[in-house]
Amino acid sequence: MNTAVAFERWRPGTTPRRLSETLFDGALIVFDGLRPVARLVDRVRAILAETFETEESAVAERHLSAVTFRRLAIQAREAVATDAAVVRHWWDALAVIGYRREATWLDQIRLRVVPSRGDIEHQRLQAVPPHRDTWGSGIMAQINWWLPLYPLAESSTMLLWPDVFRHPIANNSGEWSFEAFRNGRENGYPLLPVACRRPVQPRAPVLIEPGQLLGFSAAHLHAGVSDASGRTRFGVDTRSVWEPDRSAGRGAPNVDGAAREEMWRWFRPPRVNGER
């Protein structure tokens, strides 16, 4: 059963502290009309067009073997993660919002690739099961940022369960280990801790437009969903922590997480982010 997402719109002039507190309270905020986000979308689309050798990257999977698509998708992910323009546009967007780089921790910028085909077998190229990011990171001040590169559909997007933001969900966060993942990922060790069963509460498909940016607390339960349309879902996401939130101990409520440690090593600290 699906339900509509109750998005809030970002208001220019909102202080970063107020924004953080709103997100930590469970708000789902859409940022619209940010020029750096538009530039980011254009840049990543250009990387995809160059990698897949077509302007129709979203349907490239229809014409490629599973092996070729998998190779090109991983190549595109690596290109996006290391592209200087992509990083610059992200920082410019966060600065407009209020999270300046000299006071912000930033995770790696990731290209999300979710093909509609079932034979693209790779842990990083699939829709993820229901999870809270905080189950893995243990960082309650973490904010997630997510945007699509092409139009979404209810059957191919991210799903949210806003109704369980403050309600415990059975999960395996106490058993999952990043070290075990790093050592056993070739043998299929889980990419991240997940819910033990799919929630029965209504799920909410995210249907924002390319050029719009969604910000939400990492404590929100969310997942990916794909269909058999022949279209690959491409998006970009990352995570951040504002240092004043970290220092003050502000963050979302931890209702069910049992992470073994706070994974600050996943983030570049402000003093590194501020270097040119």
Side-chain angles (χ1 to χ4, degrees), residues 36 39-40 43-44 47 78-95 101 106-110 236 238 268 272-276:
R39 297 187 186 106
L40 174 68
R43 177 57 188 153
V44 179
I47 292 173
E78 294 173 351
V80 168
T82 57
D83 186 78
V86 168
V87 174
R88 183 174 68 254
H89 296 326
W90 260 118
W91 278 120
D92 288 347
L94 289 178
R101 62 189 300 169
L106 186 69
D107 192 7
Q108 182 181 12
I109 298 166
R110 294 178 176 85
V236 183
T238 190
R268 284 175 286 181
V272 175
N273 291 333
E275 294 176 355
R276 293 289 180 178

Side-chain angles (χ1 to χ4, degrees), residues 65-266:
S65 68
V67 171
T68 300
F69 181 88
R70 185 164 54 242
R71 175 177 57 80
L72 293 177
I74 296 302
Q75 180 180 324
R77 280 175 52 88
E78 294 173 351
V80 168
T82 57
D83 186 78
V86 168
V87 174
R88 183 174 68 254
H89 296 326
W90 260 118
W91 278 120
D92 288 347
L94 289 178
V96 170
I97 292 168
Y99 297 119
R100 304 192 66 83
R101 62 189 300 169
E102 61 266 21
T104 303
W105 299 66
L106 186 69
D107 192 7
Q108 182 181 12
I109 298 166
R110 294 178 176 85
L111 173 69
R112 293 295 178 184
V113 184
V114 183
S116 67
R117 292 167 52 173
D119 61 344
I120 310 295
E121 298 176 354
H122 192 284
Q123 198 171 39
R124 298 283 187 180
L125 307 177
Q126 58 182 301
V128 293
H131 68 285
R132 305 187 201 267
D133 276 23
T134 51
W135 288 346
S137 73
I139 299 173
M140 305 313 296
Q142 178 181 316
I143 295 171
N144 286 14
W145 305 98
W146 186 88
L147 63 89
L149 294 171
Y150 302 100
L152 299 166
E154 284 196 16
S155 56
S156 182
T157 185
M158 179 171 66
L159 304 176
L160 287 161
W161 283 265
D163 290 347
V164 303
F165 183 69
R166 297 182 183 277
H167 298 280
I169 296 293
N171 65 86
N172 62 357
S173 60
E175 305 164 14
W176 187 85
S177 160
F178 178 66
E179 294 302 330
F181 163 71
R182 189 160 60 178
N183 296 330
R185 56 190 164 190
E186 300 298 330
N187 297 319
Y189 189 86
L191 180 66
L192 72 172
V194 299
C196 294
R197 64 186 68 86
R198 204 168 187 85
V200 297
Q201 289 84 355
R203 63 186 189 177
V206 177
L207 297 176
I208 62 176
E209 299 294 328
Q212 294 181 317
L213 174 66
L214 175 63
F216 62 100
S217 166
H220 265 294
L221 189 74
H222 59 288
V225 63
S226 61
D227 56 24
S229 64
R231 297 184 63 86
T232 302
R233 173 163 61 84
F234 288 105
V236 183
D237 64 61
T238 190
R239 283 137 290 279
S240 68
V241 178
W242 192 46
E243 174 58 28
D245 289 333
R246 176 179 184 262
S247 300
R250 290 188 290 267
N254 183 2
V255 297
D256 53 18
R260 300 183 182 186
E261 61 178 311
E262 293 183 347
M263 299 300 296
W264 291 104
R265 54 181 149 162
W266 290 350

